[in-house]
Structures are given as structure tokens and as C-alpha cells.
Amino acid sequence: MSGLLEGLEAAVVSSIELPQDLRFDAQFFQKAYIAEDQALHRHQLKRVGKAAFVTDGPHGYHEVDEHAPTAMLTAKCAGSWFADRSPAETVADWVVEANKRSFLENDDLILSTRGTVGNCAIVTDEALPSIIDQDVARISLSEGSGLLPQFVLTYLNSKFGQDHIARHSSGMVQQGMSLAKVREIPIPILSDALQSRIKSKVKQALSQRRQARSNASEAEQSLLGFLGLANWTPPEPLAYTARASDVFASGRFDARFFAPRIQALLDLLAVDGRTIADVAAPRREKFRPDACAAFDYIEISDIDGAGAATSTRLTSEGAPSRATWHVRAGDIITSTVRPIRRLSAQITPEQDSYVCSSGFVVVTPRDIAPEVLLTYLRLPVICELLDLFASASMYPAITDTDIFNLPLPHIPDAVADQVTQNVIAAKAAKARAASLLEAAKRAVEIAIEDGEPAAMAYLDQAEEAI
């Protein structure tokens, strides 16, 4: 029978192999899943619930308080190995007090359990203080569990962990994974020596991530310093007025639009009378799904907090209606939706000809280094200016014109060179971090499939290459 099935996505399963929750769907019995199960069961296994305290966050209403210190981490905060509180909102102290089981500590793991099921990250100082929401599981490993949190993180992000989570998730409209199933995730018990090496790689990656953030911050500070905004104290009068002619000309009646701090900021930036349109142009290279079988798609959620973009490989048949523009190496894409979120990224050479959402404006630098334009568009004060022009309440958005009319003073070569070097250094640090995490993940997979000696040998080679 096995010979007849060779080369086909088909499997024969005995009734005694059916899971306790009686899954009969073919999706559950994919050949890759079965092979991974067999490889895992060659090792001693420990269920997550036997090694850790597992809980979720508060269900239902929670009060947001922008002045409170504690953030509520959501599924998107777990998307890049290290917990990120920047997309999260801070919540009222009473919410934290009522949900102490959800309060995170260093080296806890967070795992998204609904929507983007399987995002997994480790909690570091940068993410604290924080709790989790109802769509995230907190995994707090017990002392004496025999498992290092960095190793469990890497395993859960490996193909074995991700496939197990995908296999055991369920739901018609939105996929989800119950806490009971999170507690049943099997973790292989590998040697202390291999776990320690995996821990070292994850910590090195974290160090590189921190270096990247430092480099990016230096780039911003260099630009802010030249613009005279590094220690800028804007005027904040209790009351102010605007001419009726200016109000009607702008078509705006909100007080925020005419705040003296905004006018003072515009005066600083418009000193040369130059705009982004003078140094860059829009790229409107339309994507045609019928021209290819598959493509790499960048959507707004793929932009990280440091000016880079990931993508998803899609078939042209499944192309989203918003897949609109081709991008080219060196282009800058910036989100027109909620510009205050600083969602701009530079397209790398490897991403040349990728496709991005209609929610982006594609900007092609002409007389400015792309790294400088990227940094400028991501400055908080610039995003605040763009946010002034956003309209609509549910999805505040700006137009191409708003971006290209943005004032941009001439930036001296010395400043531009410093910004460029810092951004390039940040990218290099991020790339090293990604390589370290990929090496750790692959080593865990090799250890499960081929044994720990092979995994150790792979790590030796990877260290030389990185």
C-alpha cells in the first residue's frame, strides 16, 4: 500500500491512531505531519502543561490608560521571536491588579492562540511591564523542568512546533487554539549541552537586535539634530486663533490642525521651500495577476518597527484585491493608513519586483539617499504632521499628495552620510540576528531528525559562516 501512495499527498491511518478529539479530516493527516510526529516520538517528550504554568489574558472589557505603565500584549506583539510592546496599548492599573496571573516576567514565552495562531516570542526587559490579552497564552516554565525557555522558543518556532500548532488549531472563520491544546504541545527533551548552545544563539540574536535599534536611533538623532528638533520645545499656548480665510482654504475646522506647534514645525521644515516631490517620485507600476503564477506580497502588517518589510508568497489565483503596486530595490513604501504608526520600509535588492498593497505609497528616491528618506518619513514629528491630514475615523488615511507635499529641507552631505551609515549598520545587525535565529531553529530540527551530533556539527559550521 505504501508503494502505491508514494509521490501522492495521501496517507493510510489505523483507527487506533486517531487522536482523542476524533479528527477525521485529511488536513490533520498530511504526510509531513505524520513524518514529524514519528521523528518526535524517537525522543523523550514533555508536554508544555507539565513543564510550565500556562494561562491567557483577561477576557472581555479592559480599560485603556495611555498614562499607565503596563501594556497589554496582543498576538501581533509575538510575531518576531522577541516580545514587542510598541504596538500595544497601556491598560488601567485595575486591569493589571485583577489579572495578576497574566502579568509577564523575564523569560516567559507568549504564544498567539487566535487569528495568527503560532506567533511565539520570549519576554525581555524591553517588553515589561506588561500583561497579555485573551488571544495570547503565557507560558512560564518551571524550575527543574529540564527545558530552557530559549530552547522552547526555538522549538515552537521550528517547523515541528509550527506544524503541530497548525495541525491542532481549529475554527471555521478564524483559527484558534485552546489553552488545553497549548498545554498538550509536546517538547523534546534534548541535552543540556545543545539547549545551552541554542540559548546562546538566541541571546546573541537579541544583542544584535538591540544593536540595530541603537543604530536606527542614532540615525534619527542625527537627522533631528540637523533639523533643530532634537531638543525642540514647541509653543503650547492655552488658546490660539486662526484666520477664517485659512480655515476655509484648508477645509479643516479642527483646532489641532491650527495648533501653533504645527505651524512652528512647518516653518522649521519649509525653510528651503523644498518638498519630497523635489527629490522623489511616485512609482505606479501596476501589478497584473494574470502575468505570473505566483508573487511575493507585502501588506501593511508586514512592516516592522525598524523600517523593514517581510512578505508572503501567494499564488496569483489567490491575489488579494489590494495587491496593486510593483516595488523596486531602493524604493520606500509608506503606509497611507494611520501614518502615526511610522510604517515605512525600504525595499531590498532581494525584494525587487515584489508586490505591495494599495495601502502603500511607493516612493522612488531621486536626489536623496533612500536611507535618509526612510529615516525622515519615520521621524515621529513627521508622522505627526502626516497624521494631521488623515481623514476617516475607522481607518484614518492620507493621500499620495499629502506625502509628496511634505516639506523637506536640504540635508548636508555629512549628515546624510552619517544617517546612511547608521541605517546600513542597523540592517546588517538585523541580518545577523536573523541568521543566528535561523541557525538555532535549523539546529533543533536537525537534532530531532538526525540526532544531536549532527546538530552540533551544523552549529559549528553556522558559527563560522555568521
Side-chain angles (χ1 to χ4, degrees), residues 166-224:
R167 189 183 189 193
H168 290 269
S169 297
S170 58
M172 294 292 291
V173 176
Q174 188 179 54
Q175 289 288 293
M177 191 176 200
S178 67
L179 286 185
K181 289 185 177 180
V182 172
R183 294 186 180 104
E184 287 300 309
I185 297 173
I187 309 292
I189 303 294
L190 302 184
S191 71
D192 291 346
L194 181 59
Q195 288 195 49
S196 293
R197 289 195 70 176
I198 297 301
K199 175 181 178 179
S200 175
K201 291 290 166 287
V202 173
K203 284 188 167 292
Q204 289 174 34
L206 176 59
S207 177
Q208 290 298 316
R209 289 273 189 95
R210 287 170 171 164
Q211 182 61 55
R213 283 196 297 272
S214 176
N215 292 137
S217 177
E218 288 176 17
E220 290 186 11
Q221 290 305 312
S222 294
L223 203 48
L224 286 169

Side-chain angles (χ1 to χ4, degrees), residues 34-53:
I34 294 172
E36 288 167 6
D37 240 7
Q38 292 170 345
L40 267 179
H41 281 84
R42 291 196 293 267
H43 300 267
Q44 180 185 353
L45 301 175
K46 180 173 281 191
R47 305 288 171 177
V48 165
K50 296 293 185 181
F53 170 68

Side-chain angles (χ1 to χ4, degrees), residues 113-446:
T113 56
R114 192 158 304 281
T116 52
V117 183
N119 282 354
C120 187
I122 192 167
V123 175
T124 63
D125 288 338
E126 290 90 338
L128 299 175
S130 57
I131 62 173
I132 51 173
D133 76 356
Q134 63 187 7
D135 296 331
V136 177
R138 175 194 177 195
I139 301 173
S140 184
L141 288 163
S142 309
E143 288 187 21
S145 65
L147 297 168
L148 295 177
Q150 293 82 6
F151 164 70
V152 177
L153 167 74
T154 305
Y155 170 76
L156 291 175
N157 280 323
S158 74
K159 68 178 181 181
F160 287 92
Q162 290 293 294
D163 283 353
H164 179 92
I165 291 168
R167 189 183 189 193
H168 290 269
S169 297
S170 58
M172 294 292 291
V173 176
Q174 188 179 54
Q175 289 288 293
M177 191 176 200
S178 67
L179 286 185
K181 289 185 177 180
V182 172
R183 294 186 180 104
E184 287 300 309
I185 297 173
I187 309 292
I189 303 294
L190 302 184
S191 71
D192 291 346
L194 181 59
Q195 288 195 49
S196 293
R197 289 195 70 176
I198 297 301
K199 175 181 178 179
S200 175
K201 291 290 166 287
V202 173
K203 284 188 167 292
Q204 289 174 34
L206 176 59
S207 177
Q208 290 298 316
R209 289 273 189 95
R210 287 170 171 164
Q211 182 61 55
R213 283 196 297 272
S214 176
N215 292 137
S217 177
E218 288 176 17
E220 290 186 11
Q221 290 305 312
S222 294
L223 203 48
L224 286 169
F226 162 72
L227 296 172
L229 295 170
N231 299 301
W232 183 56
T233 303
E236 296 286 358
L238 293 176
Y240 48 89
T241 61
R243 294 173 60 87
S245 57
D246 294 335
V247 172
F248 285 107
S250 66
R252 297 287 293 263
F253 292 85
D254 49 312
R256 177 169 166 256
F257 190 81
F258 298 97
R261 72 182 308 273
I262 298 301
Q263 190 56 56
L265 180 58
L266 288 170
D267 290 343
L268 274 173
L269 299 177
V271 63
D272 295 329
R274 197 172 72 150
T275 66
I276 287 179
D278 293 317
V279 298
R283 182 185 298 281
R284 296 190 176 95
E285 187 178 342
K286 192 77 172 175
F287 166 61
R288 291 177 49 225
D290 58 354
C292 60
F295 66 101
D296 294 278
Y297 180 54
I298 303 171
E299 56 185 339
I300 291 174
S301 61
D302 291 325
I303 307 299
D304 68 11
T310 56
S311 61
T312 303
R313 187 74 174 172
L314 300 175
T315 63
S316 292
E317 289 181 354
S321 60
R322 290 175 65 85
T324 305
W325 306 116
H326 278 293
V327 295
R328 298 296 172 184
D331 283 348
I332 306 298
I333 56 175
T334 188
S335 171
T336 60
V337 180
R338 295 194 179 101
I340 199 69
R341 295 183 301 171
R342 307 177 67 200
L343 296 181
S344 297
Q346 182 178 350
I347 301 301
T348 66
E350 296 77 20
Q351 295 172 322
D352 191 272
S353 80
Y354 280 18
V355 178
C356 74
S357 162
S358 59
F360 291 108
V361 172
V362 184
V363 183
T364 301
R366 189 175 56 234
D367 296 320
I368 188 172
E371 294 82 4
V372 175
L373 183 56
L374 171 68
T375 305
Y376 186 77
L377 287 172
R378 294 189 70 253
L379 291 176
V381 291
I382 299 303
C383 293
E384 182 185 0
L385 278 180
L386 288 172
D387 193 55
L388 279 175
F389 294 96
S391 57
S393 55
M394 291 293 290
Y395 295 98
I398 55 175
T399 67
D400 297 30
T401 302
D402 295 327
I403 292 172
F404 285 98
N405 283 344
L406 199 65
L408 173 66
H410 175 76
I411 299 168
D413 289 346
V415 176
D417 289 346
Q418 184 61 58
V419 170
T420 300
Q421 290 171 19
N422 286 332
V423 173
I424 290 173
K427 290 178 185 175
K430 280 191 67 178
R432 286 192 294 272
S435 296
L436 287 161
L437 294 173
E438 183 60 33
K441 184 173 71 172
R442 185 65 192 124
V444 168
E445 294 168 352
I446 291 172

